[in-house]
Coordinates of all heavy atoms in Angstrom, one line a residue:
S498 N -25.5 14.2 -23.1 CA -26.1 13.6 -21.9 C -25.1 13.7 -20.7 O -23.8 13.7 -20.9 CB -26.3 12.1 -22.2 OG -25.0 11.4 -22.5
P499 N -25.6 13.9 -19.6 CA -24.8 14.1 -18.4 C -24.1 12.9 -18.0 O -24.4 11.8 -18.2 CB -25.7 14.4 -17.2 CG -27.1 13.9 -17.7 CD -27.1 13.9 -19.2
K500 N -22.7 13.1 -17.6 CA -21.9 12.0 -17.2 C -22.1 11.7 -15.7 O -22.1 12.7 -15.0 CB -20.4 12.3 -17.5 CG -20.1 12.2 -19.0 CD -18.6 12.4 -19.1 CE -18.3 12.4 -20.6 NZ -17.2 13.3 -21.0
L501 N -22.1 10.4 -15.3 CA -22.3 10.1 -13.9 C -21.0 10.6 -13.2 O -19.9 10.3 -13.7 CB -22.3 8.6 -13.8 CG -23.8 8.1 -13.9 CD1 -23.7 6.5 -13.9 CD2 -24.8 8.6 -12.9
G502 N -21.1 11.2 -12.0 CA -20.1 11.6 -11.3 C -19.3 12.8 -11.8 O -18.3 13.2 -11.2
A503 N -19.8 13.5 -12.8 CA -19.1 14.7 -13.3 C -19.0 15.7 -12.2 O -17.9 16.3 -12.0 CB -19.8 15.1 -14.6
D504 N -20.2 16.0 -11.5 CA -20.2 16.9 -10.5 C -19.1 16.7 -9.4 O -18.4 17.5 -8.9 CB -21.6 17.2 -10.0 CG -22.5 17.7 -10.9 OD1 -22.0 18.4 -11.9 OD2 -23.7 17.5 -10.8
A505 N -19.1 15.4 -9.0 CA -18.3 15.0 -7.9 C -16.8 15.3 -8.3 O -16.0 15.7 -7.4 CB -18.4 13.6 -7.5
S506 N -16.4 14.8 -9.4 CA -15.0 15.0 -9.9 C -14.6 16.4 -10.0 O -13.5 16.7 -9.7 CB -14.7 14.2 -11.2 OG -15.4 14.8 -12.2
N507 N -15.5 17.3 -10.4 CA -15.1 18.7 -10.5 C -14.8 19.3 -9.1 O -14.0 20.3 -8.9 CB -16.2 19.5 -11.2 CG -16.2 19.1 -12.7 OD1 -15.3 18.6 -13.2 ND2 -17.3 19.4 -13.3
T508 N -15.4 18.8 -8.1 CA -15.3 19.5 -6.7 C -14.0 18.9 -6.2 O -13.5 19.6 -5.1 CB -16.5 19.1 -5.8 OG1 -16.6 17.7 -5.8 CG2 -17.8 19.7 -6.4
V509 N -13.5 17.8 -6.6 CA -12.2 17.3 -5.9 C -11.0 17.8 -6.8 O -10.7 17.1 -7.7 CB -12.3 15.7 -5.8 CG1 -11.0 15.2 -5.3 CG2 -13.4 15.3 -5.0
M510 N -10.5 18.8 -6.4 CA -9.4 19.4 -7.2 C -8.0 18.9 -6.6 O -7.1 18.7 -7.4 CB -9.2 20.9 -7.1 CG -10.5 21.6 -7.9 SD -10.6 21.1 -9.6 CE -9.4 22.0 -10.3
N511 N -8.0 18.5 -5.4 CA -6.8 18.0 -4.8 C -7.1 16.8 -3.9 O -8.1 16.9 -3.1 CB -6.1 19.0 -4.0 CG -5.7 20.3 -4.8 OD1 -4.8 20.1 -5.6 ND2 -6.1 21.3 -4.5
S512 N -6.5 15.7 -4.0 CA -6.7 14.5 -3.2 C -5.5 13.6 -3.2 O -4.6 13.7 -4.2 CB -7.9 13.7 -3.5 OG -7.7 13.1 -4.8
G513 N -5.3 12.9 -2.1 CA -4.1 12.0 -2.1 C -4.5 10.7 -2.9 O -5.5 10.4 -3.2
A514 N -3.3 10.0 -3.1 CA -3.4 8.6 -3.7 C -4.2 7.7 -2.8 O -4.1 7.9 -1.6 CB -2.1 8.1 -4.0
R515 N -5.0 6.8 -3.3 CA -5.7 5.9 -2.5 C -5.5 4.5 -3.0 O -5.4 4.2 -4.1 CB -7.2 6.1 -2.6 CG -7.7 7.4 -2.0 CD -9.2 7.5 -1.8 NE -9.9 6.8 -2.8 CZ -10.2 7.4 -4.1 NH1 -9.9 8.5 -4.3 NH2 -10.9 6.7 -4.9
A516 N -5.2 3.6 -2.0 CA -5.1 2.2 -2.4 C -6.5 1.7 -2.8 O -7.4 1.7 -2.0 CB -4.5 1.5 -1.1
I517 N -6.6 1.1 -4.0 CA -7.8 0.4 -4.3 C -7.8 -1.0 -4.4 O -8.9 -1.6 -4.5 CB -8.3 1.1 -5.8 CG1 -7.1 0.8 -6.9 CG2 -8.7 2.5 -5.7 CD1 -7.4 1.3 -8.2
A518 N -6.7 -1.5 -4.3 CA -6.5 -3.0 -4.0 C -5.4 -3.3 -3.0 O -4.3 -2.8 -3.2 CB -6.2 -3.7 -5.4
R519 N -5.8 -4.0 -2.0 CA -4.8 -4.2 -0.9 C -4.8 -5.7 -0.5 O -5.3 -6.1 0.5 CB -5.3 -3.5 0.4 CG -5.3 -2.0 0.3 CD -5.9 -1.4 1.6 NE -5.6 0.0 1.6 CZ -5.2 0.6 2.7 NH1 -5.1 0.0 3.9 NH2 -5.1 1.9 2.8
P520 N -4.1 -6.5 -1.3 CA -4.0 -7.9 -1.0 C -3.3 -8.1 0.4 O -2.4 -7.2 0.7 CB -3.2 -8.5 -2.1 CG -3.1 -7.5 -3.1 CD -3.5 -6.2 -2.6
I521 N -3.7 -9.1 1.2 CA -3.2 -9.2 2.5 C -2.1 -10.3 2.4 O -2.3 -11.3 1.8 CB -4.2 -9.8 3.4 CG1 -5.3 -8.8 3.5 CG2 -3.8 -10.1 4.8 CD1 -5.1 -7.4 4.0
P522 N -0.9 -10.2 3.0 CA 0.1 -11.2 3.0 C -0.3 -12.5 3.6 O -1.1 -12.4 4.6 CB 1.3 -10.5 3.8 CG 0.9 -9.2 4.2 CD -0.5 -9.0 3.8
Q523 N 0.1 -13.5 3.1 CA -0.1 -14.9 3.6 C 1.1 -15.3 4.5 O 2.1 -15.5 3.8 CB -0.4 -15.9 2.5 CG -1.7 -15.6 1.6 CD -3.0 -15.5 2.6 OE1 -3.2 -16.4 3.3 NE2 -3.7 -14.5 2.3
I524 N 0.9 -15.3 5.7 CA 2.1 -15.6 6.7 C 2.1 -17.1 6.9 O 1.1 -17.8 7.4 CB 1.8 -14.9 8.0 CG1 1.5 -13.3 7.8 CG2 3.1 -15.1 8.9 CD1 2.6 -12.5 7.1
P525 N 3.3 -17.7 6.6 CA 3.5 -19.1 6.8 C 3.3 -19.5 8.3 O 3.7 -18.7 9.1 CB 4.8 -19.5 6.2 CG 5.3 -18.3 5.6 CD 4.4 -17.2 5.9
D526 N 2.8 -20.7 8.6 CA 2.7 -21.0 10.0 C 4.0 -20.9 10.9 O 3.9 -20.4 12.0 CB 2.2 -22.5 10.2 CG 0.7 -22.6 9.7 OD1 0.1 -21.6 9.6 OD2 0.3 -23.7 9.4
D527 N 5.0 -21.2 10.1 CA 6.3 -21.2 11.1 C 6.7 -19.7 11.4 O 7.7 -19.6 12.2 CB 7.5 -21.9 10.4 CG 7.9 -21.3 9.0 OD1 7.0 -20.9 8.4 OD2 9.0 -21.3 8.7
L528 N 6.2 -18.8 10.7 CA 6.5 -17.4 11.0 C 5.5 -16.8 11.9 O 5.7 -15.6 12.3 CB 6.6 -16.5 9.7 CG 7.8 -16.6 9.0 CD1 7.8 -15.6 7.8 CD2 9.0 -16.2 9.9
R529 N 4.4 -17.4 12.3 CA 3.3 -16.8 13.0 C 3.7 -16.2 14.4 O 3.3 -15.1 14.7 CB 2.1 -17.7 13.2 CG 1.4 -17.8 11.8 CD 0.3 -18.7 11.7 NE -0.4 -18.7 10.4 CZ -1.4 -18.0 10.1 NH1 -2.0 -17.3 11.0 NH2 -1.9 -18.1 8.9
E530 N 4.6 -16.9 15.1 CA 5.0 -16.5 16.4 C 5.8 -15.2 16.4 O 5.6 -14.3 17.2 CB 5.7 -17.6 17.2 CG 4.9 -18.6 17.7 CD 5.6 -19.6 18.6 OE1 6.7 -19.3 19.1 OE2 5.1 -20.9 18.6
D531 N 6.6 -15.0 15.3 CA 7.4 -13.9 15.1 C 6.6 -12.6 14.7 O 7.1 -11.5 14.8 CB 8.5 -14.1 14.1 CG 9.5 -15.1 14.4 OD1 9.6 -15.4 15.6 OD2 10.3 -15.5 13.6
T532 N 5.3 -12.8 14.3 CA 4.6 -11.7 13.7 C 3.5 -11.2 14.6 O 2.6 -10.4 14.2 CB 4.1 -12.1 12.4 OG1 3.2 -13.2 12.5 CG2 5.2 -12.6 11.4
L533 N 3.4 -11.7 15.9 CA 2.3 -11.4 16.7 C 1.9 -9.9 16.7 O 0.8 -9.6 16.5 CB 2.5 -11.9 18.1 CG 2.3 -13.4 18.3 CD1 2.4 -13.9 19.7 CD2 0.7 -13.7 17.9
N534 N 2.9 -9.0 17.0 CA 2.6 -7.6 17.0 C 3.5 -6.9 16.0 O 3.9 -5.7 16.2 CB 2.8 -7.1 18.4 CG 1.7 -7.6 19.3 OD1 0.5 -7.5 19.0 ND2 2.1 -8.2 20.4
A535 N 3.9 -7.6 14.9 CA 4.9 -6.9 14.0 C 4.2 -5.9 13.2 O 2.9 -5.9 13.0 CB 5.4 -8.0 13.1
A536 N 4.8 -4.9 12.8 CA 4.3 -3.8 11.9 C 5.5 -3.3 11.1 O 6.7 -3.4 11.5 CB 3.8 -2.6 12.8
A537 N 5.2 -2.8 9.9 CA 6.2 -2.3 9.0 C 5.7 -1.0 8.4 O 4.4 -0.8 8.4 CB 6.6 -3.3 7.9
L538 N 6.6 -0.1 7.9 CA 6.2 1.0 7.3 C 6.4 0.9 5.9 O 7.7 0.9 5.6 CB 6.8 2.3 7.9 CG 6.4 3.6 7.3 CD1 5.0 4.0 7.6 CD2 7.3 4.8 7.7
A539 N 5.4 0.9 5.0 CA 5.7 0.7 3.5 C 5.7 2.2 2.9 O 4.8 2.9 3.3 CB 4.6 -0.2 3.0
R540 N 6.6 2.3 2.0 CA 6.6 3.6 1.3 C 6.3 3.4 -0.1 O 7.1 2.6 -0.8 CB 7.9 4.4 1.5 CG 8.0 5.6 0.7 CD 9.2 6.5 1.2 NE 8.9 7.0 2.6 CZ 9.9 7.1 3.5 NH1 11.1 6.9 3.3 NH2 9.5 7.5 4.8
F541 N 5.1 3.8 -0.5 CA 4.7 3.7 -2.0 C 5.1 4.9 -2.8 O 4.7 5.9 -2.3 CB 3.2 3.3 -2.0 CG 2.8 2.0 -1.5 CD1 2.4 1.9 -0.1 CD2 2.8 0.9 -2.2 CE1 2.1 0.7 0.4 CE2 2.4 -0.4 -1.8 CZ 2.0 -0.5 -0.4
H542 N 5.7 4.7 -3.9 CA 6.0 5.8 -4.8 C 5.0 5.7 -6.0 O 5.2 4.6 -6.7 CB 7.5 5.8 -5.4 CG 8.4 5.7 -4.3 ND1 8.8 7.0 -3.7 CD2 9.0 4.9 -3.6 CE1 9.7 6.9 -2.8 NE2 9.8 5.5 -2.6
I543 N 4.0 6.5 -6.0 CA 2.8 6.2 -6.9 C 3.0 7.2 -8.1 O 3.1 8.4 -7.9 CB 1.5 6.4 -6.2 CG1 1.5 5.5 -5.0 CG2 0.3 6.3 -7.1 CD1 0.7 5.9 -3.8
A544 N 3.1 6.7 -9.4 CA 3.0 7.6 -10.6 C 1.8 8.1 -10.8 O 0.7 7.7 -10.2 CB 3.6 6.6 -11.8
A545 N 1.7 9.1 -11.7 CA 0.5 9.8 -12.1 C -0.5 8.8 -12.8 O -1.7 9.0 -12.7 CB 0.7 10.9 -13.1
D546 N 0.0 7.6 -13.3 CA -0.9 6.7 -13.9 C -1.3 5.6 -12.9 O -2.1 4.6 -13.2 CB -0.2 6.0 -15.1 CG 0.9 5.2 -14.8 OD1 1.3 5.0 -13.5 OD2 1.6 4.6 -15.7
G547 N -1.0 5.8 -11.6 CA -1.3 4.8 -10.6 C -0.4 3.7 -10.4 O -0.7 2.9 -9.4
K548 N 0.6 3.6 -11.2 CA 1.5 2.4 -10.9 C 2.4 2.8 -9.8 O 2.8 3.9 -9.6 CB 2.5 2.2 -12.2 CG 1.7 1.6 -13.4 CD 2.7 1.1 -14.4 CE 2.1 0.4 -15.5 NZ 1.1 1.1 -16.3
A549 N 2.7 1.7 -9.0 CA 3.3 2.0 -7.7 C 4.7 1.1 -7.6 O 4.6 -0.1 -8.0 CB 2.4 1.8 -6.5
A550 N 5.6 1.7 -7.0 CA 6.8 1.0 -6.6 C 6.8 1.1 -5.2 O 6.3 2.0 -4.5 CB 8.1 1.6 -7.1
V551 N 7.2 0.0 -4.4 CA 7.2 0.0 -2.9 C 8.5 -0.4 -2.4 O 9.2 -1.1 -3.0 CB 6.2 -1.0 -2.5 CG1 6.3 -2.4 -2.9 CG2 5.9 -0.9 -0.9
E552 N 8.8 0.1 -1.2 CA 10.0 -0.2 -0.4 C 9.4 -0.2 1.2 O 8.5 0.4 1.4 CB 11.2 0.8 -0.5 CG 10.8 2.2 -0.1 CD 11.8 3.2 -0.3 OE1 13.0 2.8 -0.2 OE2 11.4 4.3 -0.7
L553 N 10.2 -0.9 1.9 CA 10.0 -0.8 3.3 C 10.8 0.2 4.0 O 12.0 0.0 4.2 CB 10.2 -2.3 4.1 CG 9.2 -3.3 3.6 CD1 9.5 -4.6 4.4 CD2 7.8 -3.0 3.8
A554 N 10.2 1.3 4.3 CA 10.9 2.4 5.1 C 11.3 2.0 6.4 O 12.4 2.4 6.8 CB 10.0 3.7 5.0
K555 N 10.5 1.3 7.1 CA 10.8 0.6 8.4 C 10.4 -0.8 8.3 O 9.3 -1.2 8.6 CB 10.1 1.4 9.5 CG 10.6 2.7 9.8 CD 10.0 3.3 11.1 CE 10.5 4.7 11.2 NZ 9.6 5.5 12.2
P556 N 11.4 -1.8 8.1 CA 10.9 -3.1 8.0 C 10.8 -3.7 9.4 O 11.0 -3.1 10.4 CB 12.1 -3.7 7.3 CG 13.3 -2.9 7.5 CD 12.7 -1.3 7.7
T557 N 10.3 -4.9 9.4 CA 10.1 -5.7 10.7 C 11.6 -6.3 10.9 O 12.5 -6.1 10.1 CB 9.2 -6.9 10.5 OG1 9.8 -7.9 9.7 CG2 7.8 -6.4 9.9
N558 N 11.6 -6.9 12.0 CA 13.1 -7.5 12.4 C 13.3 -8.8 11.7 O 14.3 -9.4 11.9 CB 13.0 -7.7 14.0 CG 13.0 -6.5 14.6 OD1 13.5 -5.4 14.2 ND2 12.5 -6.5 15.9
N559 N 12.3 -9.3 11.0 CA 12.5 -10.6 10.3 C 12.6 -10.5 8.8 O 11.7 -10.1 8.1 CB 11.2 -11.5 10.6 CG 11.4 -12.9 10.2 OD1 11.6 -13.2 8.9 ND2 11.0 -13.9 11.0
P560 N 13.7 -10.8 8.3 CA 14.0 -10.6 6.8 C 13.0 -11.4 6.0 O 12.6 -10.9 5.0 CB 15.4 -11.1 6.7 CG 16.1 -11.0 8.0 CD 15.0 -11.2 9.0
R561 N 12.8 -12.6 6.5 CA 11.8 -13.5 5.6 C 10.4 -12.8 5.5 O 9.8 -12.8 4.5 CB 11.8 -14.8 6.2 CG 11.2 -15.8 5.2 CD 11.5 -17.3 5.7 NE 10.3 -18.1 5.3 CZ 9.7 -18.9 6.1 NH1 10.1 -19.1 7.4 NH2 8.7 -19.7 5.8
L562 N 10.0 -12.3 6.6 CA 8.7 -11.6 6.7 C 8.8 -10.5 5.8 O 7.8 -10.1 5.1 CB 8.4 -11.3 8.1 CG 7.0 -10.6 8.4 CD1 5.9 -11.4 7.8 CD2 6.8 -10.2 9.9
N563 N 9.8 -9.7 5.9 CA 9.9 -8.4 4.9 C 9.9 -8.8 3.4 O 9.2 -8.1 2.7 CB 11.3 -7.8 5.2 CG 11.3 -7.2 6.6 OD1 10.3 -6.9 7.3 ND2 12.5 -7.1 7.2
R564 N 10.4 -10.0 3.1 CA 10.3 -10.4 1.6 C 8.9 -10.8 1.3 O 8.4 -10.4 0.3 CB 11.2 -11.7 1.4 CG 12.7 -11.3 1.3 CD 13.4 -12.5 0.6 NE 13.3 -13.6 1.4 CZ 14.2 -13.8 2.4 NH1 15.1 -13.0 2.8 NH2 14.1 -15.0 3.2
I565 N 8.1 -11.5 2.3 CA 6.7 -11.8 1.9 C 5.9 -10.5 1.9 O 5.0 -10.5 1.0 CB 6.2 -12.7 3.1 CG1 6.9 -14.1 3.1 CG2 4.8 -12.9 3.0 CD1 6.7 -14.9 4.4
L566 N 6.2 -9.6 2.8 CA 5.4 -8.3 2.8 C 5.7 -7.6 1.4 O 4.7 -7.2 0.8 CB 5.8 -7.5 3.9 CG 5.4 -7.7 5.3 CD1 6.0 -6.8 6.4 CD2 3.8 -7.8 5.4
L567 N 6.9 -7.5 1.0 CA 7.2 -6.7 -0.3 C 6.6 -7.4 -1.4 O 6.0 -6.7 -2.3 CB 8.8 -6.7 -0.4 CG 9.3 -5.5 0.3 CD1 10.9 -5.5 0.1 CD2 8.9 -4.2 -0.2
E568 N 6.6 -8.8 -1.5 CA 5.9 -9.5 -2.5 C 4.4 -9.1 -2.7 O 3.9 -9.0 -3.7 CB 6.2 -11.0 -2.5 CG 7.6 -11.4 -2.9 CD 8.0 -11.0 -4.3 OE1 7.3 -11.2 -5.3 OE2 9.0 -10.3 -4.3
T569 N 3.8 -9.1 -1.5 CA 2.4 -8.8 -1.5 C 2.0 -7.4 -1.8 O 1.3 -7.0 -2.5 CB 1.9 -9.1 -0.1 OG1 2.1 -10.6 0.2 CG2 0.3 -9.0 -0.1
L570 N 2.9 -6.4 -1.2 CA 2.6 -5.0 -1.4 C 2.9 -4.6 -2.8 O 2.3 -3.6 -3.3 CB 3.7 -4.3 -0.5 CG 3.4 -4.4 1.1 CD1 4.4 -3.8 1.8 CD2 1.9 -3.9 1.4
K571 N 3.8 -5.4 -3.6 CA 3.9 -5.0 -5.0 C 2.6 -5.2 -5.8 O 2.5 -4.6 -6.8 CB 5.0 -5.9 -5.6 CG 6.3 -5.6 -5.3 CD 7.3 -6.7 -5.9 CE 8.7 -6.3 -5.3 NZ 9.7 -7.4 -5.6
N572 N 1.7 -6.0 -5.3 CA 0.4 -6.1 -5.9 C -0.7 -5.1 -5.6 O -1.8 -5.2 -6.1 CB -0.1 -7.6 -5.6 CG 0.8 -8.6 -6.3 OD1 1.3 -8.5 -7.4 ND2 1.2 -9.6 -5.6
W573 N -0.3 -4.3 -4.6 CA -1.3 -3.2 -4.2 C -1.5 -2.3 -5.5 O -0.6 -2.1 -6.4 CB -0.9 -2.4 -3.2 CG -1.1 -3.0 -1.8 CD1 -1.0 -4.3 -1.5 CD2 -1.4 -2.4 -0.6 NE1 -1.2 -4.6 -0.2 CE2 -1.5 -3.4 0.4 CE3 -1.5 -1.0 -0.2 CZ2 -1.7 -3.1 1.7 CZ3 -1.8 -0.8 1.2 CH2 -1.9 -1.8 2.0
Q574 N -2.7 -1.8 -5.7 CA -3.0 -0.9 -6.8 C -3.7 0.3 -6.3 O -4.3 0.5 -5.2 CB -4.0 -1.5 -7.7 CG -3.5 -2.8 -8.4 CD -4.5 -3.6 -9.2 OE1 -5.8 -3.2 -9.1 NE2 -4.1 -4.5 -10.0
F575 N -3.3 1.5 -6.8 CA -3.7 2.8 -6.5 C -4.3 3.6 -7.5 O -4.2 3.4 -8.6 CB -2.4 3.5 -6.0 CG -1.7 3.1 -4.8 CD1 -0.9 2.0 -4.8 CD2 -2.1 3.6 -3.6 CE1 -0.3 1.5 -3.7 CE2 -1.4 3.2 -2.4 CZ -0.6 2.1 -2.4
S576 N -5.2 4.5 -7.0 CA -5.8 5.6 -7.9 C -4.8 6.9 -7.5 O -4.5 6.9 -6.3 CB -7.1 6.1 -7.6 OG -7.4 6.3 -6.3
P577 N -4.2 7.5 -8.4 CA -3.2 8.5 -8.2 C -3.7 9.7 -7.4 O -4.9 9.9 -7.4 CB -2.7 8.9 -9.5 CG -3.8 8.6 -10.5 CD -4.5 7.4 -9.9
A578 N -2.8 10.4 -6.7 CA -3.0 11.7 -6.2 C -3.6 12.7 -7.3 O -3.2 12.6 -8.5 CB -1.9 12.3 -5.4
I579 N -4.4 13.6 -6.9 CA -5.0 14.6 -7.8 C -4.5 15.9 -7.2 O -4.7 16.3 -6.2 CB -6.5 14.5 -7.8 CG1 -6.9 13.2 -8.3 CG2 -7.1 15.6 -8.7 CD1 -6.6 12.7 -9.6
K580 N -3.9 16.8 -8.1 CA -3.6 18.1 -7.8 C -4.2 19.0 -9.0 O -3.8 18.8 -10.1 CB -2.1 18.3 -7.7 CG -1.7 19.6 -7.2 CD -0.2 19.8 -6.8 CE -0.1 21.2 -6.3 NZ 1.4 21.4 -6.0
D581 N -4.9 20.0 -8.5 CA -5.5 20.9 -9.5 C -6.3 20.2 -10.7 O -6.2 20.4 -11.8 CB -4.3 21.8 -10.2 CG -3.6 22.7 -9.1 OD1 -4.3 23.1 -8.2 OD2 -2.5 23.0 -9.3
G582 N -6.9 19.2 -10.1 CA -7.8 18.4 -11.1 C -7.0 17.4 -11.9 O -7.7 16.7 -12.7
K583 N -5.7 17.2 -11.8 CA -5.0 16.3 -12.8 C -4.2 15.3 -11.8 O -3.8 15.6 -10.7 CB -4.0 17.1 -13.5 CG -4.6 18.1 -14.5 CD -3.4 18.8 -15.3 CE -4.1 19.6 -16.4 NZ -4.6 20.8 -15.8
P584 N -4.1 14.1 -12.3 CA -3.3 13.0 -11.6 C -1.8 13.5 -11.6 O -1.2 14.0 -12.5 CB -3.5 11.8 -12.4 CG -4.2 12.1 -13.6 CD -4.6 13.6 -13.6
V585 N -1.2 13.3 -10.4 CA 0.2 13.6 -10.2 C 0.9 12.4 -9.4 O 0.2 11.6 -8.7 CB 0.4 14.9 -9.4 CG1 -0.1 16.1 -10.2 CG2 -0.3 14.8 -8.0
A586 N 2.1 12.4 -9.5 CA 2.9 11.4 -8.7 C 3.0 11.8 -7.3 O 2.9 13.0 -7.0 CB 4.4 11.4 -9.3
S587 N 3.1 10.8 -6.5 CA 3.2 11.1 -5.0 C 3.8 10.0 -4.3 O 4.1 8.9 -4.8 CB 1.7 11.4 -4.4 OG 1.0 10.2 -4.4
T588 N 4.1 10.3 -3.0 CA 4.7 9.2 -2.2 C 3.7 9.0 -1.0 O 3.4 10.0 -0.4 CB 6.1 9.6 -1.7 OG1 6.9 9.8 -2.9 CG2 6.7 8.5 -0.7
E589 N 3.4 7.9 -0.6 CA 2.5 7.6 0.5 C 3.2 6.6 1.4 O 3.7 5.6 1.1 CB 1.1 6.9 0.0 CG 0.3 7.8 -0.9 CD -0.4 8.9 -0.4 OE1 -0.7 8.9 1.0 OE2 -0.6 9.9 -1.0
D590 N 3.2 6.9 2.7 CA 3.6 6.0 3.8 C 2.4 5.4 4.4 O 1.5 6.0 4.9 CB 4.5 6.8 4.8 CG 5.9 7.2 4.3 OD1 6.2 6.7 3.2 OD2 6.6 7.8 5.1
I591 N 2.4 4.0 4.5 CA 1.4 3.3 5.0 C 1.9 2.3 6.0 O 2.8 1.6 5.7 CB 0.5 2.6 3.9 CG1 -0.1 3.7 3.0 CG2 -0.7 1.7 4.6 CD1 -0.8 3.1 1.8
V592 N 1.4 2.3 7.2 CA 1.8 1.3 8.3 C 1.2 0.0 7.9 O -0.2 0.1 7.8 CB 1.4 1.8 9.7 CG1 1.7 0.7 10.7 CG2 2.2 3.1 10.0
I593 N 1.8 -1.1 7.8 CA 1.3 -2.3 7.6 C 1.4 -3.1 8.9 O 2.4 -3.5 9.3 CB 2.1 -3.1 6.7 CG1 2.3 -2.2 5.3 CG2 1.4 -4.5 6.3 CD1 1.0 -1.9 4.5
K594 N 0.1 -3.4 9.6 CA 0.1 -4.2 10.7 C -0.1 -5.7 10.4 O -1.0 -5.9 9.5 CB -0.9 -3.7 11.7 CG -0.7 -2.3 12.3 CD -1.7 -2.1 13.5 CE -1.3 -0.9 14.2 NZ -1.2 0.4 13.6
I595 N 0.7 -6.4 11.0 CA 0.5 -7.9 10.6 C -0.3 -8.6 11.7 O 0.1 -8.7 12.8 CB 1.9 -8.6 10.5 CG1 2.7 -8.1 9.3 CG2 1.7 -10.2 10.3 CD1 3.7 -7.2 9.6
N596 N -1.5 -9.0 11.3 CA -2.5 -9.5 12.2 C -2.4 -11.1 12.0 O -2.7 -11.6 10.8 CB -3.8 -9.0 12.0 CG -3.9 -7.6 12.4 OD1 -3.2 -7.2 13.4 ND2 -4.6 -6.8 11.7
V597 N -2.2 -11.9 12.9 CA -2.2 -13.3 12.8 C -3.4 -13.9 13.5 O -3.8 -13.5 14.7 CB -0.9 -13.9 13.4 CG1 -1.0 -15.4 13.4 CG2 0.3 -13.4 12.8
D598 N -4.2 -14.6 12.8 CA -5.4 -15.2 13.3 C -5.2 -16.2 14.5 O -4.2 -17.0 14.2 CB -6.4 -15.9 12.3 CG -6.8 -14.8 11.2 OD1 -6.7 -13.7 11.6 OD2 -7.0 -15.1 10.1

């Protein structure tokens, strides 16, 4: 019996890792003024099985905010990069913009 998506997966021989779960950091009220236009560059090291380690390649100016970001970013989940039809380890840099409501 044909497998769903078999044709699609055969055509994608190479693709980058994709974040499939992106929890948003909860910013405490007392940090909100510091985070109005804050952004950080997160570097994810994604294994072939999709497990990821994260560091802040460019942190914000606020150490406490950086800790909150890292705690949240550790919960992101990825589908791994694909090369020649097989999952491979990769590194992805993602800009994290902090939006305060």
